């Protein structure tokens, strides 16, 4: 009998060894630990994005934790983000950036992020994002007649940007500005034909007056003096032409060490903002894609194999959890019982898209 017990123990021993440490309770998408990881992830995504706008967290879709050892976890996050009104070059901290409303034709970002949590310290190992504008049908359903996003290379958009920048440069006593990129554009057809544009600019080493003599000699300021800015403009096309322009320079930012690297030089024949830079990637698109906005392939464009397919099955786990909660609900509960929320996806911070 003793021998049998010993044998059983012996047989079981290697099995016990193979079993990993007891799994901790799964992390919910709205747990503070998940939110802390998402904050680090969003900050990483914005700091590695070189085009378009900063994105803010809308919802944590899913989280998966793979324990690696003592105080060492790998975390996989699926995040839904929304475009804010802050250009990526803006020094405004994300917390102060306004998320664009649904009626402004929202742009949503989807990101998979892999983080490591080592001794309580979070760092991003990889991220993979893409972004899409909401469908025009969705916008029009809720807001008939709302202006929709237009292609960034739309002729009316380019005309408005050029006119706006020329107008600003003709009025200012300060530095002559050059176009860096068009951020977004919306066109309203009725009742008035209006083109609204937003674009990033940079100061050159010329005053607007000096630029009149020889615009070709006006260069963007070197990195250590760079001064970026942002313009909004609306042009009423008909019944009568009317242009409104507002440009603000951010002032030199010491932390803007990364350099805005345009894809190609964009030029519009016969216009004197011709040295404006427009990344080729936006041709034919209404928004800068977060995927293409990440300029550091090694750090942020890891292959999808980095993200386990089991993340997908984690979704069904979440669904099962919901189902279980629903099951529990059939059982009568004492008054005041609040069923626990499903662990994932988490709460929506702004609006559903
Ligand atoms: C951001 O918002 C906080 C709180 O409203 C405010 O105190 C701070 O000055 C703002 N910062 C910027 C750069 O706007
Ligand atoms: C701007 O910089 C360019 C290149 O360094 C130089 O040729 C030009 O004279 C400068 N313009 C002014 C107004 O300083
Ligand atoms: C915008 O770019 C797309 C893709 O390159 C092209 O097919 C389209 O003709 C362009 N539109 C304009 C107005 O240049």
């Amino acid at each position: 009998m003793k021998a049998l017990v010993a044998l059983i123990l012996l047989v079981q021993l290697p099995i016990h060894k193979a079993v990993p440490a007891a799994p901790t309770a799964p992390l919910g998408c709205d747990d503070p630990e998940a939110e802390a990881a998402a904050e680090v992830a969003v900050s990483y995504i914005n700091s590695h994005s070189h085009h378009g706008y900063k994105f803010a967290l809308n919802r944590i879709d899913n989280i998966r934790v793979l324990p690696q050892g003592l105080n060492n976890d790998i975390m996989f996050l699926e995040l839904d983000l929304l475009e804010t009104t802050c250009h990526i070059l803006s020094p405004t901290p994300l917390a102060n950036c306004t998320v664009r409303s649904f009626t402004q034709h929202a742009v949503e970002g989807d990101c998979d992020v892999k983080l490591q949590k080592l001794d309580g310290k979070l760092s991003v190992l990889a991220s993979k994002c893409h972004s899409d504008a909401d469908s025009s049908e969705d916008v029009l359903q809720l807001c008939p007649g709302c202006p929709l996003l237009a292609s960034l290379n739309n002729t009316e958009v380019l005309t408005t940007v050029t006119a706006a920048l020329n107008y600003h440069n003709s009025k200012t006593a300060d530095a002559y500005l050059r176009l860096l990129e068009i951020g977004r554009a919306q066109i309203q057809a009725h009742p008035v034909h209006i083109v609204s544009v937003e674009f990033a600019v940079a100061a050159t080493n010329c005053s607007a007056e000096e630029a009149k003599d020889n615009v070709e000699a006006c260069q963007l300021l070197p990195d250590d003096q760079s001064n970026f800015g942002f313009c909004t403009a609306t042009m009423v096309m008909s019944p009568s032409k009317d242009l409104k322009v507002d440009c603000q320079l951010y002032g030199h930012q010491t932390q803007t060490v990364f350099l805005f690297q345009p894809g190609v030089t964009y030029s519009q024949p016969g216009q004197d903002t011709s040295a404006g830079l427009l990344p080729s990637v936006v041709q034919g698109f209404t928004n800068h894609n977060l995927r293409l906005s990440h300029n550091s392939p090694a750090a942020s464009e890891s292959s999808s194999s980095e993200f386990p397919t089991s993340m997908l099955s984690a979704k069904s786990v979440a669904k099962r959890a919901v189902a279980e909660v629903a099951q529990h609900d059939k059982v009568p509960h004492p008054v005041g019982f609040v069923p626990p929320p499903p662990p994932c996806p988490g709460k929506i911070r702004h609006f559903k898209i």
Side-chain angles (χ1 to χ4, degrees):
M1 187 59 189
K2 253 186 189 163
L4 185 61
V5 170
L7 182 65
I8 292 170
L9 284 178
L10 261 180
V11 169
Q12 285 185 338
L13 209 57
I15 300 170
H16 273 294
K17 259 193 177 160
V19 173
T24 47
L27 208 51
C29 278
D30 287 335
D31 287 355
E33 204 183 333
E35 294 187 333
E39 196 177 320
V40 169
V42 171
S43 152
Y44 174 92
I45 289 160
N46 283 323
S47 66
H48 285 75
S49 177
H50 293 182
H51 296 286
Y53 298 88
K54 297 185 189 189
F55 278 77
L57 183 65
N58 192 28
R59 180 166 78 171
I60 302 173
D61 256 358
N62 205 354
I63 182 163
R64 230 169 67 86
V65 181
L66 294 180
Q68 306 290 297
L70 191 64
N71 292 326
N72 183 2
D73 291 324
I74 295 290
M75 301 169 106
F76 290 96
L77 280 178
E78 280 177 43
L79 305 176
D80 287 345
L81 313 181
L82 285 171
E83 189 187 80
T84 69
T85 56
C86 294
H87 191 265
I88 207 76
L89 293 170
S90 162
T92 305
L94 180 65
N96 293 41
C97 294
T98 311
V99 168
R100 281 186 205 273
S101 67
F102 182 86
T103 53
Q104 284 175 295
H105 203 161
V107 174
E108 188 183 40
D110 275 308
C111 296
D112 288 337
V113 189
K114 180 183 179 185
L115 301 101
Q116 182 173 39
K117 189 171 187 181
L118 191 59
D119 297 326
K121 198 177 174 306
L122 287 158
S123 53
V124 175
L125 301 180
S127 78
K128 195 159 145 285
C129 295
H130 68 91
S131 58
D132 291 295
D134 194 9
S135 77
S136 302
E137 292 74 30
D138 278 6
V139 178
L140 293 178
Q141 200 171 29
L142 207 92
C143 176
C146 264
L148 297 173
L149 282 176
S151 269
L152 296 174
N153 69 336
N154 174 291
T155 312
E156 286 185 351
V157 169
L158 297 178
T159 306
T160 303
V161 168
T162 305
L165 197 48
N166 285 345
Y167 182 80
H168 174 87
N169 280 330
S170 74
K171 295 283 174 214
T172 186
D174 297 331
Y176 179 81
L177 303 183
R178 276 187 196 277
L179 177 66
L180 285 177
E181 72 175 16
I182 301 173
R184 59 154 48 212
Q186 282 171 283
I187 298 182
Q188 178 182 305
H190 301 289
V192 188
H193 187 163
I194 301 176
V195 182
S196 310
V197 294
E198 298 183 1
F199 52 98
V201 293
T204 63
N205 65 344
C206 297
S207 65
E209 195 58 40
E210 286 164 330
K212 280 186 190 143
D213 301 329
N214 185 7
V215 71
E216 300 303 320
C218 303
Q219 303 292 319
L220 294 185
L221 295 172
D223 297 2
D224 60 351
Q225 300 162 30
S226 64
N227 189 0
F228 300 116
F230 190 70
C231 302
T232 55
T234 52
M235 177 129 95
V236 179
M237 309 293 275
S238 64
S240 63
K241 284 223 163 149
D242 180 39
L243 177 67
K244 283 198 175 63
V245 189
D246 178 47
C247 293
Q248 305 284 340
L249 283 174
Y250 298 136
H252 179 62
Q253 302 297 316
T254 41
Q255 77 271 28
T256 318
V257 279
F258 77 78
L259 240 274
F260 199 82
Q261 305 206 325
V264 293
T265 301
Y266 150 74
S267 62
Q268 228 189 329
Q271 311 276 3
D272 84 347
T273 56
S274 58
L277 311 165
L278 189 77
S280 56
V281 294
V282 302
Q283 296 291 310
F285 291 94
T286 58
N287 60 284
H288 294 273
N289 194 336
L290 257 185
R291 180 169 66 87
L292 302 163
S293 299
H294 279 104
N295 277 357
S296 123
S300 59
E301 284 257 29
S302 53
S303 71
S304 47
S305 62
E306 283 268 19
F307 299 97
T309 45
S310 48
M311 276 190 89
L312 296 174
S313 60
K315 258 189 180 143
S316 55
V317 170
K319 270 198 195 113
R320 211 179 319 134
V322 176
E324 273 164 19
V325 169
Q327 277 284 323
H328 282 301
D329 278 352
K330 293 200 184 107
V331 187
H333 288 299
V335 179
F337 174 86
V338 180
C344 281
K347 63 172 185 273
I348 291 173
R349 287 164 178 72
H350 301 282
F351 51 86
K352 196 163 164 40
I353 172 167

